[in-house]
Amino acid sequence: DVLKLCYSFFSFRANVLFCLFQFQAIHEEIKEKEPVFIALKASGEELKESSESSADRDNLQEKLDNVSERWNELSDASDTRRTMLDEAVELTSKYQEGRSHFLPWLDEAERRVGAVQLKCDHQVLESNKQHVEVSYRPVIFFFVSVFYDVAS
């Protein structure tokens, strides 16, 4: 029931933490490579400036732009994923704290609901239904007569 859902959420939190742990190493490796990318880009710019052929400069600029675009996409995707995982960990932490106050009440409510056994005596139910039908007939007659008087 609800407790099973809460426990499955606990495993979801564990999965989020595991993903963060695994991704953290990848994210850090990407960030560690940033100086290499900057040096590569600077070397490419120097090579481009020293090139005598405009075709070579254009070709090298195209390759530098391509590498820069790919690096920026990778870096941005890594930052975005890291931010999302950090937010997911924070949300699961808040939920974990909130649910610890809610679980005892929920457990007791489920226990009480399970203990309630509704019984229905069909003869009493039918008698009450007939009593209501008989009781509302004069009321309906009154409203119909009032409506008829107002309409005429």
Side-chain angles (χ1 to χ4, degrees), residues 6-82:
C6 289
Y7 292 126
S8 69
F9 187 83
F10 177 76
S11 66
F12 175 73
R13 176 173 163 65
N15 287 336
V16 168
L17 289 171
F18 181 72
C19 288
L20 178 63
F21 176 74
Q22 283 190 318
F23 182 72
Q24 192 168 355
I26 297 168
H27 182 71
E28 288 172 3
E29 185 177 350
I30 291 169
K31 292 304 174 188
E32 288 172 2
K33 299 295 183 199
E34 191 165 15
V36 174
F37 164 72
I38 292 170
L40 177 69
K41 189 174 175 183
S43 296
E45 290 293 336
E46 287 176 15
L47 185 62
K48 182 180 81 171
E49 295 301 320
S50 68
S51 179
E52 295 177 10
S53 165
S54 69
D56 288 343
R57 282 193 301 268
D58 291 344
N59 187 26
L60 191 53
Q61 184 62 51
E62 185 179 321
K63 290 182 191 264
L64 285 172
D65 290 345
N66 186 353
V67 167
S68 292
E69 182 181 342
R70 290 174 40 207
W71 172 259
N72 290 333
E73 287 175 359
L74 175 66
S75 182
D76 290 348
S78 179
D79 290 342
T80 300
R81 179 143 188 196
R82 175 63 193 255

Side-chain angles (χ1 to χ4, degrees), residues 77-142:
S78 179
D79 290 342
T80 300
R81 179 143 188 196
R82 175 63 193 255
T83 300
M84 290 172 61
L85 284 169
D86 287 341
E87 289 173 358
V89 167
E90 183 180 335
L91 287 173
T92 57
S93 295
K94 286 180 182 177
Y95 175 82
Q96 196 78 11
E97 293 167 8
R99 107 184 161 104
S100 65
H101 300 292
F102 182 64
L103 281 179
W105 174 86
L106 186 60
D107 193 29
E108 177 64 18
E110 283 188 342
R111 188 187 64 73
R112 286 183 178 188
V113 167
V116 172
Q117 294 182 2
L118 298 176
K119 295 180 182 176
C120 179
D121 184 346
H122 292 290
Q123 288 178 340
V124 171
L125 185 62
E126 188 60 35
S127 171
N128 287 340
K129 177 183 165 193
Q130 289 173 359
H131 177 70
V132 168
E133 288 174 350
V134 168
S135 299
Y136 78 80
R137 283 186 189 142
V139 173
I140 289 178
F141 179 74
F142 172 77

